[in-house]
Amino acid sequence: MGSKPSAQRQIIVPYPSENGQNCPGENTDYTVYTDSGNREDSSFGDPLLVTAIDFGTTYSGSVFCFKGYKNRILAGTQGFYQDDERIPTVILLNPDQTFNSFGYEAQDTYSKLKEEKAQYFYFEHFKMALYKNMESSSNTTTLMDIRGRRVKAKDIFVMLIKNLLHLAMDIVKGLQTRDIAWIVTIPASWSESSRKLVQDSVLSVGIEDKNLHFVLEPHAAAVYCMNVDTSSTSSPMSRPPKELHSELADTAEETGITVGDKCIILDIGGGSTDIWVYEVEGQNELKEMHKATEEIGGNSVNSEFIELMKGLVGEPVWSDFQEDYTGSYYTLMRDFDRKKRSFSNDVDSVTMSLENELLHVLKETTGDTLSDVITMIGADDKIKFKSHLNKVTLDKETMEELFEKSVDAIVQLIEKTLRVCQKWSVHTMFMVGGFSESPYLREIIRSKFSEIRVVFPDDAKLVVLRGAVILGYQSQ
Ligand SMILES: Nc1ncnc2c1ncn2[C@@H]1O[C@H](COP(=O)(O)OP(=O)(O)OP(=O)(O)O)[C@@H](O)[C@H]1O
Ligand SMILES: [Mg+2]
């Protein structure tokens, strides 16, 4: 192979601000630069397959897309949870800190551990810690497990990335490495240190540098939104699992977005909400005008539900239930998450099954039944418990209260951004990310911001990955 000047690889990353404080809520400039390092082989340039990975606070995903079938994206799924195109961002380590399991499997394995549970290391929601990471080296950054023990962050990321890539392996088998473009998405407001940590982790799992591209999450999302046919995106459509269709627009008229337009991308995930204002400069070329991040997202509703439950049964009972009956705890929380997803203004109340084990711990510890405690705290009108069915019903007002903190923060973030945008004319806002799929949140945003066109692309939680695939085919 000759050492001719290489095909240049675009890495789209933010520069850290001058003081290095590239934290959520701050606006920092970013630029697009080109890695012009010498390449041994410039043959990469027409990938047969693009693989994109996106790791979120709550869920991560990897998707694959073959050349010639760019409207058909395949998502990696795990085990029995074949319907979920995204997998919980959870890593479980053995007592000797070797890898045990990932995603749903980690949740299930951890749930089944008995007394030995405390010796295992369970990591979840660890992406949030990296927003404020200022460590100078990816070898010194650490992450805390749920019991507060620290482990080298790079080790955890290497495991996460390996597992996300593993989901692609069957598809990738038989293809030459040079035929695959690997795209990894990273948050726009991450510090330089955190980006470096992820880059080092990806390279150390054996992906060749020249096939690897990093893109900003909002950039990927915006690119997808620019290409999607917005005439068919205002209502969610059910999709077959695993194979994800994208109705990509053939013309600029279909997207309704043309050069010079300024748009907003609002990415509402589990742990954070990112807002990005950009100007369209050309085909998939975007200029960032403004960005901000709030550390709040859909998980806040779940946290508020946990606070509600603690208020009912008491902190010690809840902690014992979570520690001693972890499997039941997950069942309850997944059930709540499902109810959360379908909650809308039309829903009068939400009924869900309560796990026997919770009621058992309550009775053992306090001698009370749930009906007793509901009456004791005077919540009979808002929360009903049918003991013969083990079902609890939360009225609409209570559900709205669980959403309140996140909804208020998101509304304020949009209001603040629209004030900044007053000097430009911004007429479209795309809502992406898992929590954007909430019918309740959508209704509120629609009614509060009627002056702006709000577009909800299908499968909002996959928009970043889909945009990353588009960039993968374009990045040669
Ligand atoms: N249909 C839905 N209705 C309401 N909430 C939803 C829906 N689908 C997913 N969510 C919520 O969205 C959140 C996850 O969204 P997403 O997968 O975009 O986040 P993430 O990428 O893991 O997090 P982040 O982007 O903050 O790092 C969870 O809180 C989940 O409960
Ligand atoms: Mg995300």
Side-chain angles (χ1 to χ4, degrees), residues 111 321 325-333 355-358:
S111 306
F321 168 61
Y325 300 100
T326 311
S328 303
Y329 168 79
Y330 281 130
T331 307
L332 178 62
M333 291 311 296
E355 297 301 302
N356 264 327
E357 290 84 349
L358 175 62

Side-chain angles (χ1 to χ4, degrees), residues 58-60 78-79 81 86-92 99-111 122-124 126 159-160 163-164 167 330 334:
T58 326
Y59 297 100
S60 294
Q78 193 180 37
Y81 302 92
R86 304 253 292 164
I87 292 164
T89 311
V90 175
I91 294 280
L92 179 66
F99 175 75
N100 179 293
S101 43
F102 151 73
Y104 286 113
E105 284 168 14
Q107 289 183 340
D108 288 351
T109 308
Y110 186 68
S111 306
Y122 189 83
F123 290 87
E124 62 178 3
F126 50 86
M159 291 175 200
L160 174 66
N163 276 277
L164 286 170
L167 301 172
Y330 281 130
R334 282 176 196 154

Side-chain angles (χ1 to χ4, degrees), residues 92 112 129 378 406 463:
L92 179 66
K112 287 178 191 141
S406 51
V463 161

Side-chain angles (χ1 to χ4, degrees), residues 28 217 225 233 242 302 327 356 397 404 445 451:
T28 49
E217 289 172 10
C225 292
T233 55
K242 294 184 82 179
N302 306 47
N356 264 327
E397 207 184 312
E404 196 173 284
I445 302 288
E451 73 276 21

